[in-house]
Amino acid sequence: MISLSTAFRGFLIAAFLTTVSVAESASDKKPAITVIAGGLPIILTAPHGGGAAIPGVPERKGDGVTRFNPKADTNTDILTEKLADALEQKLGKRPYVVIARFHRKYIDANRRPEDAFESPEAKATYDEYHAAIAAACKEVTARWGRGVVLDIHGQAAQPGVVLRGTQNGKTVAHLLKQSGREAVYGETSLFGELAKQGFAIFPAVGSSEPESPNYSGGHTVGLHGSSSGGTIDAIQLELGTRYRDAKSIGDGAEKIASAITAFAKNYLPSETQKPTDAAKPAGKIAVGVYLDKGAGPSVNDLLRALAKFEQVAVTKLTAEQIRSGGLAGLDILMQPGGSGGTQGRNLDEPGREKIRNFVREGGGYIGICAGAYLASAQYPWSLNLLDAKVIDTQHWNRGIGTVDIELTPAGREILRTPNQKFPIHYAQGPLLAPAGRPEIEDYEEMATFKTEIAKNGAPEGVMVGTTAIARGRFGQGRVICFSPHPEMTEGLEEFVQNAIDYVNRKRAGK
Ligand SMILES: [Zn+2]
């Protein structure tokens, strides 16, 4: 991870961020689709590199499907990961990434639904793949105004060639209109830049020859590109075997990333759009803080941190006020450290239901330590806002001290920091893990514990690797839970502000 320039930090402040979800199949815990949010107006997709089975889904037979192909595009999943890393090196930020981990013999994600799968059990995974791309497109449009989907494939027909697939210009209609033919066909186009990196390309630079009929662009570029409007252009890249075998894949990824970088500098927006007046919050962000039974002394640290944030207006709330409509008009509710059980029981079911409705309708929720226990789906008194269970509940009093956490790319994005590892104050917060409750959206990990505290009979080796910070969605609202205490850790108070910006009601439903 290279460090971000000051200018780039400023740029991140303006950015808003997407849900990252990793779909998980039911029986094993291997994700069926990898989805990673990015910081560039570039979305990498790879439908055919996966090797995994999908529980309950048989192999396709292909009856009636034209040009049926159940074979994987070898190594294109790995290549896409390497491309994302190389782009981060070159551009300082990562692209959005959507990679199918399932094998093409179960679902061909680059075909229309009627040709993509045969058993009804496959539909949800197929839909999720395209929904992830659509969500990334929507967010790129909101952040930059326009961007590009690069759909990464492999072909063996011409091992030394990269083939362009834009349905002969249709899926890049917006780019053609915006920047002219040069941007798609010329020396400064993506394929022009690939040629400069030494790739043989087809059609040749500058040529108006039609694209190769079998590789001229499938369902993904057709669906998500600008053929029928919009400002996202989509290009299918069909990489010959020679560029993605085990020996040359690293070098190939490096060179393709160089070409994408040059293309991005030539044609893609480099700065996020200024938020329009309509998108700017009118006045301050109204943050409610629970201050009643079960709120511990750390609530004072929280209130001190909040007082420093100019944009935030704090309202203190008792359980009774929450039950009698006190959440109305607020953008966010924060449940502080203390005792989750006491907070939950004091709120009682009517108060808990008020909070659920508040978030369901777009309010934000931030829980710290006890507030994270409260948000979980673990206890009779919990809110069930986050699809998380609590590990080793028996040893909740495992001790207080400093632990290391490691942020995921999503965590770095939301908390606006280029750094991965932080020491942070920990005071017996929950060790979270996915609960797999079907009625709650899966949460996304923002950080994991890298070191642990195991006192008072708590077994060693349990805490490391569990979720330390998570985000989720509940109805229209966004939720962030911190097991440790950023508000009590010098230098990490800004995590609280960045979490507030992320769960703010003004962004609900995005
Ligand atoms: Zn393919």
Side-chain angles (χ1 to χ4, degrees):
M1 179 76 199
I2 61 170
S3 68
L4 303 181
S5 69
T6 311
F8 210 82
R9 280 166 184 266
F11 152 100
L12 277 177
I13 302 302
F16 79 70
L17 304 145
T18 192
T19 297
V20 175
S21 79
V22 176
E24 294 200 344
S25 51
S27 66
D28 56 30
K29 276 292 171 189
K30 290 242 179 68
I33 304 164
T34 300
V35 184
I36 304 171
L40 297 170
I42 298 169
I43 301 160
L44 302 180
T45 57
H48 291 157
I54 307 172
V57 175
E59 292 184 17
R60 300 184 299 139
K61 297 193 185 76
D63 298 338
V65 175
T66 48
R67 294 198 295 114
F68 174 68
N69 184 353
K71 288 200 195 118
D73 293 354
T74 310
N75 286 344
T76 50
D77 50 345
I78 300 165
L79 179 75
T80 302
E81 289 170 344
K82 287 183 184 295
L83 266 179
D85 289 344
L87 283 171
E88 183 177 24
Q89 288 294 319
K90 293 174 198 302
L91 288 166
K93 292 294 288 176
R94 297 180 72 78
Y96 290 74
V97 171
V98 181
I99 300 173
R101 298 298 181 185
F102 49 83
H103 196 283
R104 189 182 191 175
K105 63 191 174 190
Y106 304 105
I107 296 174
D108 188 337
N110 195 30
R111 295 298 190 97
R112 300 172 305 164
E114 53 269 40
D115 298 333
F117 56 88
E118 294 168 4
S119 79
E121 285 76 20
K123 183 177 187 298
T125 304
Y126 174 85
D127 287 347
E128 184 152 10
Y129 177 80
H130 284 288
I133 301 173
C137 289
K138 194 174 163 195
E139 182 161 307
V140 165
T141 305
R143 289 175 72 178
W144 290 274
R146 60 197 175 84
V148 66
V149 172
L150 302 176
D151 196 31
I152 308 297
H153 291 260
Q155 49 82 23
Q158 298 180 66
V161 180
V162 186
L163 300 154
R164 183 186 72 222
T166 64
Q167 299 182 355
N168 292 306
K170 283 194 197 125
T171 66
V172 289
H174 182 265
L175 182 60
L176 282 168
K177 204 171 90 187
Q178 162 122 9
S179 306
R181 290 182 53 80
E182 170 69 19
V184 175
Y185 306 108
E187 287 183 12
T188 57
S189 70
L190 176 58
F191 276 72
E193 297 292 351
L194 282 168
K196 285 179 208 163
Q197 292 293 326
F199 291 89
I201 63 162
F202 182 86
V205 177
S207 161
S208 48
E209 195 176 344
E211 292 166 351
S212 176
N214 286 352
Y215 304 106
S216 63
H219 182 63
T220 297
V221 294
L223 181 66
H224 302 286
S226 56
S227 323
S228 48
T231 57
I232 300 292
D233 295 291
I235 303 171
Q236 182 170 318
L237 289 90
E238 287 281 358
L239 302 163
T241 335
R242 193 198 294 165
Y243 299 125
R244 57 190 161 88
D245 60 30
K247 207 175 64 182
S248 35
I249 191 165
D251 185 49
E254 189 62 30
K255 286 179 173 157
I256 297 165
S258 293
I260 295 172
T261 298
F263 169 73
K265 288 182 175 161
N266 297 339
Y267 294 108
L268 294 180
S270 57
E271 285 176 32
T272 48
Q273 296 196 320
K274 290 205 178 76
T276 60
D277 285 342
K280 246 186 234 163
K284 296 195 169 193
I285 305 169
V287 176
V289 176
Y290 175 90
L291 198 62
D292 201 342
K293 277 182 210 159
S298 72
V299 73
N300 295 317
D301 300 273
L302 177 62
L303 291 169
R304 246 194 313 277
L306 292 175
K308 286 189 215 153
F309 307 152
E310 273 174 34
Q311 271 204 297
V312 166
V314 170
T315 304
K316 296 165 190 165
L317 291 162
T318 64
E320 180 49 37
Q321 285 169 328
I322 288 172
R323 282 191 295 270
S324 53
L327 296 173
L330 294 179
D331 296 312
I332 293 163
L333 173 66
M334 295 190 75
Q335 292 284 147
S339 161
T342 308
Q343 292 180 18
R345 282 184 289 264
N346 190 41
L347 283 160
D348 206 355
E349 183 51 24
R352 298 193 294 263
E353 190 55 24
K354 287 278 186 193
I355 296 174
R356 280 180 210 115
N357 284 334
F358 169 75
V359 180
R360 200 177 274 130
E361 288 159 13
Y365 178 97
I366 297 172
I368 300 178
C369 195
Y373 278 106
L374 184 66
S376 76
Q378 178 73 37
Y379 304 95
W381 44 261
S382 57
L383 292 169
N384 306 315
L385 291 176
L386 194 74
D387 191 14
K389 61 183 175 187
V390 178
I391 302 285
D392 196 19
T393 50
Q394 204 188 333
H395 301 102
W396 64 270
N397 61 338
R398 58 182 50 249
I400 294 171
T402 300
V403 296
D404 286 340
I405 57 168
E406 183 171 287
L407 299 188
T408 64
R412 302 206 299 269
E413 194 93 47
I414 291 170
L415 301 175
R416 294 172 177 146
T417 171
N419 300 322
Q420 268 178 279
K421 260 196 173 178
F422 295 91
I424 191 167
H425 182 71
Y426 172 81
Q428 313 190 138
L431 316 184
L432 299 171
R437 295 269 290 260
E439 75 281 15
I440 318 173
E441 241 179 80
D442 291 353
Y443 76 76
E444 174 67 17
E445 199 161 61
M446 290 170 59
T448 54
F449 287 111
K450 299 306 280 186
T451 60
E452 69 177 349
I453 295 178
K455 295 177 190 157
N456 303 321
E460 286 181 17
V462 171
M463 182 168 170
V464 172
T466 62
T467 301
I469 310 175
R471 68 166 164 183
R473 264 197 293 197
F474 186 79
Q476 294 291 304
R478 293 177 169 194
V479 175
I480 289 185
C481 287
F482 293 91
S483 172
H485 286 274
E487 84 289 15
M488 296 180 79
T489 310
E490 206 182 326
L492 296 190
E493 299 92 342
E494 275 187 23
F495 280 12
V496 178
Q497 182 167 21
N498 294 329
I500 286 172
D501 286 343
Y502 180 75
V503 303
N504 189 0
R505 173 191 292 282
K506 273 93 187 171
R507 290 179 179 160
K510 299 228 172 82

